[in-house]
Amino acid sequence: MMNQDKKLLKKIEQKKKKRKELEIVGTSGLEENLKAISDALDEYYFTEKLKTYCAHLSYTKIINKKAIKYKMIDFRLINSILHVIDIFEFSNPVIYFYNEIRKLYENIDENDDHELIKFDKLLSGIKNYSLRLSIEDAEELLSFLANFCVRKLNENKKEYLNRYFLISNLLLNIRFNTKTGKSIKIPPNVFKNMVVTALKIADELDFSTIETVGIIPDNPSGFSDAYEWVEKFIDSFKKNLDKKGFDNYYPYCSALLEFKRGNYIKAYRTLYEKRKGTRGVFINLDIKTLFLRILFEIYITKPQILEYDEIDIEKTFDTLRSLLRDEASRKKQLSYQLKFYTDFADLYKKLYKFFNRYTLAYKKKNSLFEKEKNQLLSEIENTKYSYKKWFLQKVKSIK
């Protein structure tokens, strides 16, 4: 299917061709045709200019405003274009979609009580119209909404988590529901994010209603839960990963699924060989933090496994600290993302120390135990990251 850019350019050429035909036969209607050419030019220019402006808003509101080298004033005529778009109706729904995306981003810092309603209405409109768009155009529109969700999730607006997953699933269906879908590569980060997000909303979303290209549930009525969906997703799309993605992201996602299921030994065996030497943007940190959580679960249930494999939790933890120092020196511009891992390391060290002190060393609890436990619980409560629930469960289980 032709994308919007080519479609609108073709429309301009058709209007120009029509004018030449009218000139040749000397018929009336030349004035009306001039207006048609002007309208077609406006439709093309406004669409492209609005799309570019939305990309600008996405960068400044999502990534880092200080990293942008240009200013709003560099978007010449954009205010006039927005004024015209707000006053006059265009027959092209894509202009409406981009204009609504523009409004969402411009007001992203406001406390709009109707923001979620506007978002859902826009998502529904794009979803219903997506079959009439090229893959490229549909992906671009939905990606703006996905990025909006990311910003809101960074602000701990959890109501956008389900929406982020549904948009990601829709993007997956659009991209892979083609004749060449089997040969398309899936970015490793997309593969991981689909798994991580699905597991986060395991208790909130009815997965029996989820339809994903290339995945068939065991029961015709739908997936029994998020775990079945994730298992099928991993098995189906692992073949679409490149070699690096398969070597690193596939074992991480498989281990995370087993960890969430409570199959700690299986998760441990899955990550055992990947606990060191992994390279990639943050996947090395993801593997190490997950492996440490798995080690703690085995340490409190079957420590003999760690003894047999000669796995030392403190040494493993030290490698995480070293890696964090290295990453921090190389990725200063991503320090806000590294905080996710540095906070994890701080809490993990305190949890491990607290467990050993009051479970192995001092089995008899006292007032100091309760005081330290409450202090640790309070510190964990203040974190906004996804591992918060796991830390709370582990500390509360120490009695």
Side-chain angles (χ1 to χ4, degrees), residues 222-256:
F223 297 101
S224 58
D225 52 28
Y227 301 124
E228 184 193 352
W229 184 90
V230 170
E231 183 177 0
K232 300 285 186 183
F233 171 83
I234 291 174
D235 187 59
S236 177
F237 283 93
K238 65 183 180 184
K239 62 181 178 294
N240 295 93
L241 290 165
D242 58 21
K243 186 180 186 305
K244 184 178 178 181
F246 184 84
D247 289 344
N248 298 328
Y249 288 77
Y250 170 58
Y252 170 77
C253 290
S254 298
L256 181 63

Side-chain angles (χ1 to χ4, degrees), residues 265 268-269 298 302-311:
I265 295 177
Y268 169 73
R269 294 301 178 200
I298 295 177
K302 293 187 176 181
Q304 61 271 23
I305 293 176
L306 303 185
E307 292 174 13
Y308 181 83
D309 287 340
E310 297 182 345
I311 296 291

Side-chain angles (χ1 to χ4, degrees), residues 135-149:
I135 292 175
E136 180 184 350
D137 289 323
E139 283 184 328
E140 192 161 22
L141 284 166
L142 289 168
S143 293
F144 277 117
L145 294 188
N147 289 340
F148 186 86
C149 288

Side-chain angles (χ1 to χ4, degrees), residues 153-174:
L153 290 171
N154 287 340
E155 297 172 356
N156 210 28
K157 299 289 180 65
K158 295 181 180 179
E159 61 268 26
Y160 281 91
L161 194 56
N162 285 9
R163 290 163 175 82
Y164 177 74
F165 175 78
L166 293 173
I167 292 170
S168 299
N169 189 63
L170 185 56
L171 281 166
L172 198 73
N173 288 340
I174 290 171

Side-chain angles (χ1 to χ4, degrees), residues 323-336:
L323 184 59
L324 282 170
R325 286 193 294 269
D326 181 56
E327 292 291 333
S329 64
R330 293 192 299 111
K331 297 188 175 76
K332 290 181 179 180
Q333 73 276 21
L334 297 175
S335 58
Y336 69 97

Side-chain angles (χ1 to χ4, degrees), residues 156-218:
N156 210 28
K157 299 289 180 65
K158 295 181 180 179
E159 61 268 26
Y160 281 91
L161 194 56
N162 285 9
R163 290 163 175 82
Y164 177 74
F165 175 78
L166 293 173
I167 292 170
S168 299
N169 189 63
L170 185 56
L171 281 166
L172 198 73
N173 288 340
I174 290 171
R175 170 58 67 90
F176 285 89
N177 195 18
T178 63
K179 291 181 180 179
T180 58
K182 290 183 179 179
S183 61
I184 297 174
K185 293 297 181 184
I186 184 170
N189 235 25
V190 172
F191 182 86
K192 187 192 81 169
N193 287 343
M194 290 293 287
V195 170
V196 171
T197 307
L199 292 173
K200 281 183 181 179
I201 59 175
D203 299 326
E204 301 172 20
L205 190 66
D206 181 7
F207 275 80
S208 67
T209 64
I210 301 299
E211 294 182 2
T212 306
V213 62
I215 304 178
I216 301 173
D218 293 332

